[in-house]
Amino acid sequence: MRKLVIANWKMNPDAPGRAAALARKIERILPPRRRVEVVVAPPAPFLLPVGTALKNAVLGAQDAFWADTGPYTGETSPQQLRYLKVEYVIVGHSERRIHLGETDETVNKKIRAVLGNGLSAILCIGERERVGADIPPLVGDQLKVALAGIKKELLKRLVVAYEPVWAISTTAGTSGPDTPDSAFRARLYIEKIISGLYGRQAYKSVRVIYGGSVRAENVGAFLREGKMDGALVGSASLDVKEFGEIVRRAAAQ
Ligand code: PGA
């Protein structure tokens, strides 16, 4: 299966011209679409200029609200994002859980709304701290609550991003990326939970990706040994050369 590489620009860059320029530069170095799927998720105010600049890559949003329209000041609905040609929406990123108080319950409402509106959801789960080698049960709980009430038919548009918070490059005191071996164990754990909820084969329709200090030098190992279907890339996605190399290595898998 084609690997999936997501560029999460977070709240960068600072101006629309720079965002469009970055998107154009990324476009120039992308391999053909049939070899790798690339999603670029810029800040919401730049969805339009970035979306216009993208050809091979598809457009992603970093968040969405659960209602279609209504009295929700400052929010944007999946339906509204569709008009901007958004195809993927990141939901429940740890930075939103930490800084904006997002809970497993609000994440669940958002996942329902995103999938219900025909978009693909990138559900972020991951522990803040790891003691020992095991993936903490909290990760399974995050997944179970996020998927409550989601019909099996919608799983084909679900991507689960295992993103241990301590491995994210901008986390204070980060100890660097997780290991491919541990990412593989996270994958098995996620598969087990999805199978428990939806039946034995259901996990096959869900893509599981890794995020947290992904670089060109480690992406191959996460995809190969970690058996990951792709990567969620933060800081390195703002560096055209580094991101280009990550995508090239993903396409070579
Ligand atoms: P990072 O961020 O690649 O800079 O660690 C990943 C993320 O937070 O999505």
Side-chain angles (χ1 to χ4, degrees):
M1 213 204 318
R2 226 168 26 135
K3 300 293 182 194
L4 174 66
V5 182
I6 296 151
N8 175 13
W9 287 359
K10 307 193 178 181
M11 206 170 70
N12 301 291
D14 58 350
R18 271 192 268 276
L22 182 57
R24 279 194 298 270
K25 282 187 197 149
I26 288 177
E27 271 296 327
R28 258 181 249 134
I29 45 111
L30 289 184
R33 207 177 181 150
R34 67 188 144 75
R35 292 184 50 214
V36 60
E37 185 173 11
V38 176
V39 178
V40 175
F46 305 153
L47 281 166
L48 195 57
V50 168
T52 308
L54 297 178
K55 286 179 188 69
N56 268 304
V58 302
L59 190 61
Q62 297 176 15
D63 183 39
F65 195 66
W66 54 79
D68 290 342
T69 54
Y72 305 105
T73 304
E75 295 299 326
T76 308
S77 70
Q79 200 185 68
Q80 291 165 337
L81 291 173
R82 281 182 57 160
Y83 285 108
L84 295 172
K85 306 265 188 295
V86 166
E87 292 183 36
Y88 282 82
V89 182
I90 299 173
V91 178
H93 191 281
S94 58
E95 285 151 13
R96 296 198 57 81
R97 294 179 191 255
I98 292 167
H99 303 299
L100 282 307
E102 200 144 289
T103 63
D104 291 339
E105 286 71 26
T106 56
V107 168
N108 171 246
K109 288 181 175 186
K110 290 179 176 192
I111 292 282
R112 286 176 192 226
V114 168
L115 295 176
N117 275 284
L119 297 164
S120 295
I122 301 154
L123 164 65
C124 299
I125 54 173
E127 75 282 2
R128 286 204 201 179
E129 282 170 12
R130 168 92 62 80
V131 185
D134 290 343
I135 312 296
L138 164 134
V139 175
D141 296 342
Q142 288 176 333
L143 183 57
K144 283 183 206 154
V145 180
L147 294 184
I150 305 285
K151 294 211 178 72
K152 193 171 172 174
E153 305 84 80
L154 297 180
L155 293 182
K156 56 180 186 306
R157 279 190 279 107
L158 176 72
V159 178
V160 177
Y162 173 61
E163 217 177 32
V165 182
W166 50 266
I168 293 177
S169 66
T170 44
T171 300
T174 179
S175 42
D178 201 352
T179 61
D181 178 57
S182 155
F184 179 52
R185 274 180 285 115
R187 180 185 180 106
L188 294 179
Y189 182 50
I190 290 165
E191 287 183 0
K192 196 174 107 195
I193 296 208
I194 293 174
S195 302
L197 293 171
Y198 294 97
R200 274 177 55 204
Q201 299 294 309
Y203 70 83
K204 289 188 179 157
S205 41
V206 178
R207 283 178 289 176
V208 181
I209 65 174
Y210 168 79
S213 298
V214 171
R215 299 278 178 276
E217 68 191 21
N218 60 29
V219 68
F222 281 112
L223 301 179
R224 236 179 5 257
E225 291 134 49
K227 304 267 188 297
M228 286 284 162
D229 299 313
L232 179 51
V233 188
S235 334
S237 70
L238 297 165
D239 176 336
V240 177
K241 213 165 144 236
E242 184 76 14
F243 187 66
E245 191 56 27
I246 291 172
V247 172
R248 201 184 62 73
R249 290 186 192 202
Q253 291 293 310

